[in-house]
């Protein structure tokens, strides 16, 4: 929940504050849909996240979760290849693994769910594209370090 709060309300609050103080007009927008049908109500009572609408919040959440998953899997691959030792990557793997575990509902919404509450394919594809754009330059720059 801390990741959702940190990447949604703080980010969008900062953007709204900056645009207001720069003299730009801020458009009011609904971050998520507020209507509830029977399926949404059932998922709510089961404690399942609702990702069924296209929202800028979901783009940031999915992008951050994809980047953390790639970082975690890359560190595991480096250990198995012998490029790095577990001693050198333990703290980094622990933090990335903690975030990956907390992002399991997001991964479930992107890949495993088939109901109307799943993350829209458009958001998943855009987040994957954005994560790869953010990841590739740093992987290239840090490869020789």
């Amino acid at each position: 929940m801390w990741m959702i709060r940190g990447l949604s309300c703080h980010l969008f609050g900062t953007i709204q504050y900056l645009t207001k103080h720069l003299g730009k007009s801020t458009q009011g927008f609904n971050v998520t849909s507020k209507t509830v049908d029977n399926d949404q109500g059932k998922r709510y009572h089961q404690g399942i996240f609702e990702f069924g609408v296209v929202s800028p919040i979901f783009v940031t959440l999915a992008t951050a979760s994809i980047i953390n998953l790639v970082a975690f899997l890359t560190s595991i691959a480096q250990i198995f290849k012998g490029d790095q030792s577990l001693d050198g990557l333990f703290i980094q793997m622990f933090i990335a693994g903690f975030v990956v575990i907390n992002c399991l509902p997001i991964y479930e919404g992107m890949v495993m769910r088939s109901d109307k509450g799943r993350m829209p394919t458009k958001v998943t594809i855009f987040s994957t594209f954005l994560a790869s754009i953010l990841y590739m330059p740093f992987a290239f720059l840090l490869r020789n370090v």
Side-chain angles (χ1 to χ4, degrees):
M1 203 62 189
W2 59 270
M3 185 179 138
I4 293 172
R5 193 173 52 239
L7 289 174
S8 59
C9 65
H10 299 305
L11 175 68
F12 289 106
T14 303
I15 291 171
Q16 185 175 7
Y17 174 81
L18 290 174
T19 55
K20 182 178 178 182
H21 279 70
L22 290 174
K24 303 288 181 186
S25 64
T26 57
Q27 297 282 337
F29 63 93
N30 288 333
V31 178
T32 57
S33 175
K34 304 297 187 261
T35 60
V36 177
D37 61 4
N38 289 338
D39 291 335
Q40 283 179 326
K42 188 179 355 172
R43 286 190 292 272
Y44 174 76
H45 290 296
Q46 291 174 344
I48 299 173
F49 282 120
E50 181 69 33
F51 298 109
V53 296
V54 176
S55 173
I57 286 179
F58 299 149
V59 173
T60 57
L61 290 174
T63 302
S65 62
I66 290 169
I67 288 172
N68 280 295
L69 181 64
V70 169
F72 185 70
L73 295 176
T74 302
S75 63
I76 289 175
Q78 286 178 349
I79 289 173
F80 282 127
K81 285 193 318 187
D83 295 342
Q84 295 282 337
S85 67
L86 182 60
D87 297 334
L89 291 177
F90 179 74
I91 297 296
Q92 295 166 359
M93 285 184 62
F94 179 77
I95 293 171
F98 179 76
V99 174
V100 166
I101 289 172
N102 283 303
C103 290
L104 287 177
I106 297 170
Y107 302 134
E108 178 188 0
M110 286 192 304
V111 179
M112 293 183 258
R113 286 175 56 182
S114 60
D115 57 2
K116 290 183 180 180
R118 72 169 299 176
M119 191 168 292
T121 307
K122 180 180 178 180
V123 172
T124 303
I125 291 171
F126 184 72
S127 297
T128 305
F129 178 71
L130 186 60
S132 62
I133 285 175
L134 292 171
Y135 187 78
M136 291 298 174
F138 289 105
F140 179 74
L141 289 172
L142 297 175
R143 179 179 54 180
N144 297 327
V145 175

